[in-house]
Amino acid sequence: MSDDYRKYLEPEIVSKLKGMDLKARLVVEGFIAGMHKSPYHGFSVEFAEHRQYMPGDNISDIDWKVFAKSDRYYIKQYEEETNLKAYLLLDCSKSMAYTSDENRVHKLDYAGMLSGALSYMLLKQRDAVGMVTFDEKIRQYIPPRSKKGHLHILLNEIAKQVPSESTDISAALHEMAERIKRRGLIILMSDLLDEPEKILSGLKHFRYNNHEVIVFHILDPRERDFAFSKEAIFKDMETGEEITTLPYQIKKDFASQVQEFSDKIATTCRASNIDYVPIDTSMPFDKALYAFLSKRARLV
C-alpha cells in the first residue's frame, strides 16, 4: 500500500495540534470523559456482548437476568457512543484540482490536509469521525468511528481521491441530511463553485435537522483576485468551456463578483447559525486551521 496518505497528517502538524481542541457549540449528546459535558444524566452506549465477571469489575454491570438463568455472573459489555459524531464532507469534483501555482497544492489536497488534521483532533477527543466524498454524487461514505485505527482508514480514503466529474454540492448535502439521523457536526470542505441558492438549501437542511455545520470555503488566491499578468485562455475544468481574455480588463469586476458571492454565502450562513470559514490556498493550512480554532474557542 502506498504511503501517500502520510502527507495529509505530517508529524510536525500533529505536534502543533496537541494543545488544540474542536468543541461543538450546538451539539452535545451522550457522555464522554473530558471534552464535552453532557446535558443528560448517565451515558449513552450500545450493548455489544456478555463476558464472565472478573474481580474488580463494577457490580452494577452484572446482568442479573443472565445470573438468574445460569447461576453465573456475567458482565454486560458496551460499545461506547461518543459524545459527538462528526462528518467530513469532501468535495472531489474536478474544479478542486485547480492551482494557479505549480508550487502550491491544489484545493483538494489542501482540503485533505484540513480533513486529516481535524480527524486527528476529533479522534484524540474520543469523538467519532466519518467521511463523505462526493462530486456530482456521493462517491464513498465511511460511517463515524471513534477508534484510533480509524484515522488510518480516513487518511487512506483522502489519498485515494482524484478530482473528476462536475459538481452537484446540493444533491450530496440533501442526501446526507436524509441519511444522518442522529444530530452531529457536519464539516463541508469545498470551493462552493455551484449555484449558491442550492448550496444554501442543502446547508439549511442540516440545520433544520439540528446538526451543527461548519463550511470551509477553499479557493485558490487567483480565483479571488484574478491577478493574472497576461492574456490567456481560461478553461472550465468541469465543462471544458474556454474563453480568451485580457485579465486586467475584467479583474476588478471578477473580484467584485467573487466577493459578492462569498458575502452572500457568509450572510446566509450567519443567519442560519452556520460557521463559515473562507480560506485561500496561499495560507499554510496549519496556520489557517489554528486561526479558526483559536477564534472558535473564544466563542464556545
Side-chain angles (χ1 to χ4, degrees):
M1 182 179 292
S2 170
D3 283 348
D4 287 350
Y5 74 93
R6 296 184 186 278
K7 73 178 181 180
Y8 294 103
L9 191 61
E10 296 177 347
E12 59 267 30
I13 300 301
V14 171
S15 66
K16 291 179 182 179
L17 294 174
K18 282 185 176 177
M20 303 299 292
D21 299 313
L22 176 58
K23 297 183 182 180
R25 293 188 295 112
L26 307 178
V27 181
V28 181
E29 293 188 8
F31 165 88
I32 188 168
M35 274 306 304
H36 308 286
K37 292 185 178 179
S38 172
Y40 307 108
H41 297 291
F43 56 94
S44 177
V45 291
E46 292 180 340
F47 174 74
E49 61 184 359
H50 286 98
R51 69 166 172 79
Q52 196 163 358
Y53 175 84
M54 298 176 65
D57 285 334
N58 193 331
I59 294 176
S60 64
D61 289 335
I62 293 175
D63 191 329
W64 296 107
K65 290 183 179 179
V66 173
F67 172 75
K69 293 177 181 179
S70 66
D71 201 32
R72 293 182 178 180
Y73 295 108
Y74 283 89
I75 295 292
K76 288 182 179 179
Q77 283 194 302
Y78 296 91
E79 182 174 284
E80 185 178 8
E81 285 186 8
T82 57
N83 197 35
L84 180 69
K85 288 189 176 182
Y87 301 80
L88 293 162
L89 277 58
L90 190 59
D91 183 351
C92 300
S93 59
K94 205 162 187 178
S95 66
M96 292 291 285
Y98 177 70
T99 179
S100 60
D101 184 341
E102 62 182 14
N103 296 316
R104 184 185 301 130
V105 298
H106 57 58
K107 291 179 285 183
L108 181 55
D109 262 352
Y110 195 97
M113 292 173 187
L114 279 173
S115 298
L118 288 169
S119 297
Y120 167 80
M121 291 179 61
L122 288 160
L123 289 168
K124 179 171 64 77
Q125 295 169 188
R126 293 172 57 205
D127 290 328
V129 188
M131 179 171 289
V132 179
T133 56
F134 69 92
D135 40 50
E136 57 188 5
K137 62 182 184 297
I138 301 294
R139 287 186 178 186
Q140 180 69 283
Y141 170 47
I142 300 175
R145 297 285 184 270
S146 58
K147 299 182 183 299
K148 289 183 179 179
H150 192 55
L151 179 61
H152 181 83
I153 294 171
L154 296 173
L155 294 178
N156 269 293
E157 185 61 28
I158 294 169
K160 287 189 331 191
Q161 301 310 309
V162 177
S164 64
E165 307 300 335
S166 56
T167 308
D168 193 339
I169 299 172
S170 174
L173 296 180
H174 284 297
E175 180 178 341
M176 292 312 302
E178 289 296 325
R179 289 178 67 173
I180 300 172
K181 301 302 181 185
R182 177 185 170 187
R183 62 192 180 125
L185 174 62
I186 310 299
I187 305 174
L188 174 64
M189 306 273 185
S190 174
D191 56 16
L192 303 183
L193 295 182
D194 205 349
E195 296 180 44
E197 295 297 340
K198 289 185 176 181
I199 295 172
L200 292 166
S201 172
L203 294 172
K204 288 178 181 178
H205 193 164
F206 281 113
R207 289 296 298 124
Y208 179 80
N209 291 344
N210 294 315
H211 297 288
E212 182 169 351
V213 182
I214 301 172
V215 178
F216 285 95
H217 186 189
I218 302 169
L219 291 177
D220 184 275
R222 298 295 82 79
E223 291 178 312
R224 293 189 184 276
D225 60 24
F226 211 66
F228 296 98
S229 58
K230 56 186 178 180
E231 180 180 3
I233 297 174
F234 295 90
K235 183 176 181 179
D236 188 309
M237 298 183 73
E238 295 186 6
T239 67
E241 183 180 353
E242 294 183 356
I243 183 173
T244 303
T245 187
L246 293 168
Y248 74 87
Q249 292 181 335
I250 63 173
K251 174 183 174 181
K252 184 176 180 180
D253 287 341
F254 181 92
S256 176
Q257 288 190 35
V258 171
Q259 189 60 53
E260 183 180 332
F261 171 81
S262 297
D263 288 345
K264 180 175 183 177
I265 298 286
T267 300
T268 306
C269 283
R270 188 160 50 247
S272 300
N273 215 356
I274 294 170
D275 210 342
Y276 172 76
V277 188
I279 295 178
D280 78 52
T281 55
S282 63
M283 175 178 284
F285 90 92
D286 54 321
K287 290 185 178 179
L289 182 58
Y290 187 88
F292 161 70
L293 292 171
S294 298
K295 178 182 177 183
R296 185 177 175 86
R298 294 194 294 270
L299 298 175
V300 173

